[in-house]
């Protein structure tokens, strides 16, 4: 990823559609508060919250007091007041074209007050199925000029066809260079560090291939259920929610070839090449190469006794290039499982041709971030017994991060203001990911006969032997 020693942000107008929504209140506003507290935001920055609800700016800022991750539990009153002074709320009917004309004139006024044209970030913190009409109206009413950037959350479509349609519609109003498709996993510290770990530690770079690696696992498991997100989850499911976006992007970062340089274009090209090198699952392979499940109690939570939405999804994939040919790739995610963890594991081949996977490298992404290596060592004493020892690099411990460390959404906002698209997904990457899964989406939509029920707090449905071959 791009190297940065310090941040000198230009002024910008950040327009948040859906400022009263869950994402904006839990993630975006606390991120803006921390950027304000650290004096990262330019003092001329303006934040415009767009909502249908009748709410005052003071009420929005009050939520920050509850959501900000402060070690002492107390928010900085000066930073809060500065955030409040930057924030205005506009009540809009999002289907009314005239309201967008009024928004444009208001933003033009902010430019005039600042004495210079400001970059405009339109952050669509809204349900994905409501995005297209807003993008269209932004374009039709003069809000998609060269200074504008469009930030959108996943999922990017619901299948390959809808993603293609969405990309075509968006491209009528915004250039690809203006699109910032957010995958906040790519902004997490461990994920950013994967390429540094690979390409600046020759001992590992030389082992990064099928000759030495026998298996790769990408996992994102949660102990919680849907936590009230019924509407979103019923429309999305585990496959669309995490596999198509976050986990395939994680896999691409771990397995892609070295970029020609660390520019955004070169990193995107390397990730796309890797994604296009993953063999899409065929309709005939879906039964043997995928597992889906639903935790017991989900239907009651969703208030849908006939729901077939999967809360667990696992796939076995293959990368067909010379570096990784023959290495099983396992991707799995689930809710209401025994353990909360998001990680990537690389298992190395045994020097003794044993079936035991003695050496494992783990990139831990959440709940704690770090890198672990499992090694075989001899126990002290006169015998020759071995055991596994863990060498552990922990971000908080190593960098003495007793205070606040910038989170993924802070990095998302900073990079978008700077116009750096390295950590965002391109249209081609989105389509490549959907092609990998298109037959799975079709098969799971047509037939729910293989949906396995699993108990909350378990490991989820058992994976078949085909996942280890």
């Amino acid at each position: 990823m791009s190297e940065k020693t310090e941040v000198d942000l230009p002024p910008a107008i950040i327009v948040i559609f859906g400022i009263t929504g869950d994402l904006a209140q839990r993630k975006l506003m606390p991120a803006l508060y921390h950027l304000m507290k650290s004096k990262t935001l330019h003092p001329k920055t303006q934040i415009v919250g767009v909502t249908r609800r009748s709410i005052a700016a003071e009420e929005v800022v009050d939520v920050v007091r509850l959501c900000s991750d402060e070690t002492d539990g107390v928010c900085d009153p000066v930073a809060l007041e500065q955030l409040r002074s930057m924030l205005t709320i506009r009540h809009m009917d999002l289907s009314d074209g005239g309201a967008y004309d009024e928004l444009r004139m208001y933003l033009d006024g902010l430019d005039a007050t600042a004495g210079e044209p400001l970059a405009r970030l339109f952050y669509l913190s809204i349900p994905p199925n409501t995005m297209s009409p807003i993008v269209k109206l932004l374009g039709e009413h003069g809000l998609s000029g060269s200074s504008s950037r469009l930030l959108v959350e996943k999922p990017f479509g619901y299948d390959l066809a809808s993603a293609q349609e969405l990309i075509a519609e968006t491209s009528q109003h915004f250039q690809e260079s203006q699109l910032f498709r957010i995958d906040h996993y790519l902004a997490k510290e461990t994920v950013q560090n994967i390429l540094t770990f690979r390409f600046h530690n020759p001992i590992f770079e030389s082992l990064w291939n099928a000759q030495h690696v026998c298996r790769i696992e990408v996992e994102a498991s949660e102990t919680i259920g849907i936590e009230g997100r019924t509407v979103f989850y019923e429309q999305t499911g585990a496959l669309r929610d995490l596999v198509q976006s976050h986990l395939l992007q994680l896999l691409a970062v771990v397995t892609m070839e070295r970029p020609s340089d660390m520019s955004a274009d070169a990193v995107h090209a390397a990730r796309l090449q890797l994604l296009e090198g993953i063999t899409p699952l065929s309709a005939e392979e879906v039964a043997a190469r995928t597992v889906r499940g639903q935790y017991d109690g989900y239907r009651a939570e969703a208030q849908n006794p006939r729901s077939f939405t999967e809360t667990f999804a696992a796939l076995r994939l293959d990368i067909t290039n010379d570096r990784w040919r023959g290495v099983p790739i396992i991707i799995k995610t689930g809710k209401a499982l025994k353990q909360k963890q998001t990680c990537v594991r690389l298992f190395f081949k045994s020097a003794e041709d044993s079936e035991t996977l003695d050496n494992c490298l783990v990139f831990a992404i959440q709940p704690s971030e770090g890198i672990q290596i499992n090694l075989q060592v001899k126990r002290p004493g006169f015998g020759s017994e071995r055991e596994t020892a863990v060498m552990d690099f922990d971000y908080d411990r190593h960098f003495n991060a007793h205070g606040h460390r910038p989170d993924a959404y802070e990095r998302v906002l900073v990079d978008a203001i700077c116009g750096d698209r390295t950590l965002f997904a391109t249209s081609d990457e989105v389509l490549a990911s959907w092609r990998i899964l298109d037959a799975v989406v079709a098969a799971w939509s047509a037939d729910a006969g293989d949906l396995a029920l699993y108990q909350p707090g378990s490991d989820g449905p058992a994976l078949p032997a085909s996942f280890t071959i």
Side-chain angles (χ1 to χ4, degrees):
M1 312 295 177
S2 355
E3 292 185 7
K4 297 181 179 179
T5 56
E6 60 182 46
V7 178
D8 185 15
L9 289 187
I13 302 172
I14 305 170
V15 184
I16 303 175
F17 283 79
I19 192 147
T20 57
D22 181 66
L23 174 67
Q25 295 194 1
R26 287 190 305 107
K27 297 295 185 181
L28 298 183
M29 291 306 297
L32 287 167
Y33 159 78
H34 284 298
L35 292 174
M36 174 61 66
K37 183 181 177 182
S38 64
K39 303 186 186 305
T40 303
L41 289 180
H42 192 284
K44 290 184 178 181
T45 298
Q46 295 292 317
I47 305 165
V48 180
V50 175
T51 179
R52 290 190 176 98
R53 289 177 51 188
S54 178
I55 190 170
E58 288 78 7
E59 294 177 78
V60 174
V61 174
D62 281 343
V63 174
V64 176
R65 292 187 176 93
L66 303 176
C67 295
S68 293
D69 180 22
E70 297 286 16
T71 55
D72 58 5
V74 179
C75 286
D76 182 343
V78 174
L80 277 175
E81 179 53 35
Q82 290 173 330
L83 181 65
R84 165 62 192 91
S85 68
M86 286 184 173
L87 174 65
T88 56
I89 301 295
R90 291 191 64 84
H91 306 102
M92 282 181 58
D93 177 352
L94 299 182
S95 63
D96 178 13
Y100 290 81
D101 290 329
E102 294 174 3
L103 177 62
R104 185 190 69 250
M105 290 186 286
Y106 178 74
L107 300 184
D108 289 345
L110 293 180
D111 285 348
T113 301
E116 60 181 306
L118 306 180
R120 298 178 179 182
L121 278 63
F122 294 100
Y123 199 124
L124 303 190
S125 181
I126 55 177
N129 59 348
T130 64
M131 188 181 100
S132 290
I134 294 175
V135 171
K136 182 173 183 288
L137 288 167
L138 286 171
E140 290 177 346
H141 293 270
L143 288 161
S144 59
S146 59
S147 66
S148 296
R149 295 161 193 165
L150 187 68
L151 283 71
V152 296
E153 291 278 347
K154 56 87 178 170
F156 313 117
Y158 291 92
D159 55 17
L160 178 59
S162 64
Q164 290 171 326
E165 182 179 353
L166 184 59
I167 287 170
E169 291 174 354
T170 305
S171 66
Q172 295 179 28
H173 306 287
F174 290 86
Q175 301 295 317
E176 178 70 20
S177 60
Q178 296 176 277
L179 299 179
F180 291 73
R181 294 185 182 87
I182 297 161
D183 189 330
H184 69 272
Y185 273 41
L186 293 180
K188 290 182 178 292
E189 285 291 349
T190 303
V191 179
Q192 295 175 53
N193 215 343
I194 288 174
L195 297 188
T196 300
F197 183 90
R198 287 182 55 186
F199 300 134
H200 295 277
N201 292 290
I203 187 173
F204 290 104
E205 185 179 8
S206 63
L207 302 176
W208 223 260
N209 52 57
Q211 182 180 352
H212 301 286
V213 176
C214 61
R215 179 182 176 89
I216 298 174
E217 295 179 356
V218 184
E219 177 177 357
S221 59
E222 295 183 280
T223 56
I224 61 173
I226 57 173
E227 298 289 293
R229 301 170 70 212
T230 299
V231 174
F232 169 79
Y233 214 80
E234 278 287 276
Q235 295 174 345
T236 309
L239 187 73
R240 294 182 177 96
D241 186 28
L242 281 174
V243 176
Q244 182 274 329
S245 52
H246 298 327
L247 301 190
L248 282 177
Q249 284 285 353
L250 278 181
L251 175 63
V253 171
V254 169
T255 56
M256 70 189 206
E257 296 298 315
R258 179 193 282 268
S260 57
D261 55 55
M262 298 311 292
S263 67
D265 287 345
V267 172
H268 284 307
R271 287 207 307 250
L272 177 61
Q273 182 184 36
L274 187 284
L275 290 169
E276 290 180 335
I278 298 175
T279 306
L281 293 178
S282 67
E284 294 74 25
E285 292 175 316
V286 170
R289 294 283 192 116
T290 70
V291 174
R292 61 171 162 166
Q294 184 186 91
Y295 65 82
D296 189 13
Y298 170 82
R299 292 177 179 179
E301 281 187 64
Q303 297 182 332
N304 182 358
R306 295 193 292 181
S307 174
F308 293 106
T309 301
E310 80 282 354
T311 61
F312 177 96
L315 303 88
R316 187 230 158 140
L317 301 173
D318 292 303
I319 302 173
T320 56
N321 62 24
D322 291 340
R323 181 184 293 274
W324 298 113
R325 187 174 289 109
V327 177
I329 309 295
I330 309 302
I331 297 181
K332 59 181 178 179
T333 182
K335 289 186 173 295
L337 296 175
K338 180 168 62 178
Q339 184 176 2
K340 176 181 175 66
Q341 62 178 348
T342 299
C343 63
V344 181
R345 304 182 189 92
L346 283 81
F347 295 93
F348 292 91
K349 293 180 178 178
S350 170
E352 302 171 354
D353 295 324
S354 157
E355 293 184 1
T356 303
L357 301 177
D358 293 332
N359 299 137
C360 178
L361 173 64
V362 181
F363 294 101
I365 297 161
Q366 65 179 23
S368 59
E369 296 187 76
I371 302 170
Q372 302 168 357
I373 305 173
N374 295 343
L375 301 172
Q376 291 300 299
V377 298
K378 177 188 171 295
R379 288 181 182 177
F382 299 107
S384 58
E385 294 89 354
R386 297 179 303 170
E387 66 178 54
T388 300
V390 179
M391 298 181 65
D392 182 12
F393 162 72
D394 178 270
Y395 271 87
D396 285 345
R397 186 170 62 246
H398 182 81
F399 293 110
N400 196 28
H402 298 300
H404 175 76
R405 181 156 50 88
D407 75 357
Y409 275 93
E410 291 172 56
R411 179 63 186 264
V412 162
L413 290 166
V414 166
D415 283 3
I417 293 172
C418 293
D420 184 345
R421 299 176 66 243
T422 307
L423 301 180
F424 300 83
T426 66
S427 295
D428 287 339
E429 289 172 62
V430 169
L431 295 178
S433 297
W434 277 121
R435 289 189 187 99
I436 296 166
L437 303 176
D438 201 40
V440 183
V441 172
W444 286 8
S445 299
D447 182 10
D450 61 348
L451 184 71
L453 192 68
Y454 64 94
Q455 293 303 308
S458 69
D459 291 321
L463 302 184
S466 60
F467 276 54
T468 59
I469 297 174

